[in-house]
């Protein structure tokens, strides 16, 4: 636990618990919101092959997750941690130009 606190620049165990809760809530909500998002863009599980539907739906989860991560981080009082986490992750994916 101490290694994680040092790596993330966190001082308390409570902060780690809050961060884990934010990750969990964000993942669950992003997965849940992917279904209405798929419906919104016209993806229908009944009309498409599973080989097409599921990869597209998983790709939909990614941007939803990014937005929700910062939102829930703010809601739980950890905005700065998750904003920095988000920028770092997107820079590693080659999308750092979004923050310049």
């Amino acid at each position: 636990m101490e290694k994680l606190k040092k790596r993330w620049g966190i001082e308390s165990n409570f902060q780690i618990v809050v961060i884990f809760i934010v990750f969990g809530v964000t993942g669950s909500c992003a997965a849940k919101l992917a279904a209405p998002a798929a419906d919104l863009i016209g993806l229908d599980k009944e009309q498409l092959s599973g080989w097409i539907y599921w990869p597209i739906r998983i790709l939909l989860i990614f941007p939803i997750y990014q937005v929700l991560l910062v939102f829930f981080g703010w809601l739980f009082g950890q905005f700065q941690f998750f904003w920095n986490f988000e920028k770092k992750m997107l820079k590693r994916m080659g999308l750092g130009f979004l923050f310049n």
Side-chain angles (χ1 to χ4, degrees), residues 12-48:
S12 70
N13 288 338
F14 177 75
Q15 195 174 5
I16 287 181
V17 170
V18 171
I19 288 169
F20 287 155
I21 289 170
V22 169
F23 278 124
V25 169
T26 302
S28 299
C29 288
K32 191 72 170 166
L33 289 174
D39 291 341
L40 188 67
I41 63 170
L43 284 178
D44 187 12
K45 189 174 17 175
E46 306 299 321
Q47 295 176 349
L48 286 175

Side-chain angles (χ1 to χ4, degrees), residues 2-10 88 92:
E2 293 303 317
K3 262 177 113 173
L4 194 56
K5 286 186 346 188
K6 185 176 179 183
R7 181 177 179 193
W8 283 353
I10 297 169
K88 190 176 184 181
R92 287 182 179 171

